[in-house]
Amino acid sequence: MPSATANPYLEKTAPIGDKMSGWQIHKYRGISSLKFSNEIPIPKISSPTEILIEVHTSSVNPLDVMMMDGYGSKVLNLLRWKTENTEFPLTLGFDFYGVVKGKGNGVSKAFQIGDKVYGVSLPQIAGCHAEYVVVDQIYLRHKPEQLTDIEAGGLLYAGLTAWSSFYIWGLLGGLHGATTSQGGGKGKSVCILGASGGVGTIAVQMMKAENVNVTATCSTSAIPLVQSLGADNIIDYTKPNATEQFRGLTFDIILDSAGQGPAYAAKVPWQFGEYITLFPPLLRSIDSNGIVLGSLESLNSLLNENLEMLSKHKGFIMWGIFTPAPQGIDYLTKLAKEDKLKPIIDSVFEFKDMKAAYQKVIKGHLRGKVIVKIKEQN
Ligand SMILES: NC(=O)c1ccc[n+]([C@@H]2O[C@H](COP(=O)([O-])OP(=O)(O)OC[C@H]3O[C@@H](n4cnc5c(N)ncnc54)[C@H](OP(=O)(O)O)[C@@H]3O)[C@@H](O)[C@H]2O)c1
């Protein structure tokens, strides 16, 4: 007979306690709000398809840093309304590698206790900068053997940002057909601004796996790295004549992971099908003006930017937004298994040094991903 307090969704769990260590914020005050605690309740499986994972590695992303100042808080609170989760304390962290420690009674037999998995977590439910995280099985895959534990902790957030930019938000730009990881992008051309960062280094590899012609921008010191990823043409944005080097070039898609924005898209003498900015004003505008007014304001600015592009005979401006789609996770996993995609690692930090990892992201000039080792590797 199950006890009155037994979790009705749980199939089984490995023997673990009920408290864990992790890093959390209790208010929106930047890095000073990030605090360590070893008294955090281990998140509970609260639906049949959820899985409890012991987190071994995770990455720190610019979004974690922005969320410490309240970025996106209005929308996250809206997403929480049907859950028991409160705004604070908030555990950040979007992607991880770890080991299955518990499963709900509706979880596929494909996942068993002890399996090595990697996935994405959603901080409005539970972030992964802690010893344990619970995620739905749709956000989880077995770790490809081709990735080290460190690499697996840093692929999916940046990878899904690049994937959704190209294949969801980028459909107007004409990359359909290049989605098979069979080299279907022959004859297509993309430009990746910020090719040396977490998203950019993955975006270059994804597009080269599809035989897309890649032009990439980065600073002088990052040229050897971006070259090693296979970029066909590299433009050093720090040189005075950088924008002139785009004259006469036409791209199906430009992915802006360097924060240049629509004004830059209008100014540079290039042509494009679609310019996808990873800096949409939507969440910031909602934070300041509320859901309705904030959404209307940012949609209005998107409309005006597109009217300006139309008058200049350029392509569409579109927002790129991280989307944790299972198809994207499958796609990235397939590329990793084919040895066509590996996250570039900028630096690795110990769990106790989480703040230093956040500081590294704040300082910028990253060459790939910042990773935190949450549990010592076996
Ligand atoms: N909308 C979304 O859902 C979403 C999702 C993920 C990320 N993002 C945003 O996308 C941006 C990129 O993310 P990330 O994780 O790749 O950040 P990151 O790892 O910090 O990479 C940014 C890279 O851009 C380079 N860079 C800076 N200024 C540049 C310029 N003018 N031209 C070309 N390269 C430049 C930086 O190196 P140097 O400074 O040394 O040149 C760095 O390598 C972040 O700001 C993040 O907030 C948005």
Side-chain angles (χ1 to χ4, degrees), residues 301-354:
S301 75
L302 183 64
L303 180 66
N304 286 330
E305 284 153 12
N306 274 300
L307 288 174
E308 187 190 351
M309 293 303 141
L310 199 65
S311 73
K312 291 184 175 343
H313 305 289
K314 298 204 179 197
F316 294 97
I317 299 286
M318 182 56 92
W319 299 333
I321 300 172
F322 158 76
T323 313
Q327 300 92 321
I329 304 178
D330 285 338
Y331 179 85
L332 295 161
T333 302
K334 185 171 189 299
L335 284 191
K337 284 183 174 168
E338 291 169 352
D339 245 337
K340 292 177 178 167
L341 179 60
K342 258 188 209 308
I344 300 302
I345 306 301
D346 175 278
S347 41
V348 181
F349 291 83
E350 301 295 329
F351 191 34
K352 67 178 172 48
D353 299 325
M354 184 70 83

Side-chain angles (χ1 to χ4, degrees), residues 61-63 66 157-158 161 193-200 217-219 221 237 256-258 260 277-280 320-322 361 364-369:
N61 289 283
L63 184 55
M66 289 156 73
Y157 176 72
T161 302
L193 307 178
S196 49
V199 175
T217 70
C218 62
S219 59
S221 67
Y237 76 89
D256 178 4
S257 61
Q260 298 300 283
T277 170
L278 289 183
F279 299 79
I321 300 172
F322 158 76
V361 176
H365 307 298
L366 298 182
R367 302 290 177 254
K369 302 290 305 177

Side-chain angles (χ1 to χ4, degrees), residues 281-282 284-301:
L282 184 64
R284 218 177 271 294
S285 181
I286 290 175
D287 288 338
S288 317
N289 305 311
I291 302 280
V292 176
L293 194 60
S295 305
L296 287 174
E297 254 189 28
S298 33
L299 284 171
N300 187 44
S301 75

Side-chain angles (χ1 to χ4, degrees), residues 66-139:
M66 289 156 73
M67 284 176 66
M68 289 194 306
D69 283 318
Y71 177 79
S73 55
K74 286 227 166 77
V75 169
L76 281 193
N77 279 334
L78 199 71
L79 294 173
R80 272 186 205 108
W81 77 278
K82 268 188 135 176
T83 72
E84 287 175 7
N85 295 333
T86 52
E87 184 167 15
F88 297 119
L90 175 61
T91 310
L92 298 167
F94 286 87
D95 54 2
F96 60 85
Y97 155 70
V99 171
V100 172
K101 290 288 172 181
K103 53 186 279 197
N105 47 26
V107 167
S108 152
K109 288 197 176 8
F111 292 112
Q112 296 297 337
I113 307 289
D115 284 2
K116 295 179 170 187
V117 291
Y118 75 149
V120 280
S121 51
L122 305 176
Q124 72 270 18
I125 299 166
C128 59
H129 288 168
E131 287 182 305
Y132 293 91
V133 69
V134 162
V135 300
D136 194 280
Q137 62 179 349
I138 61 169
Y139 302 124

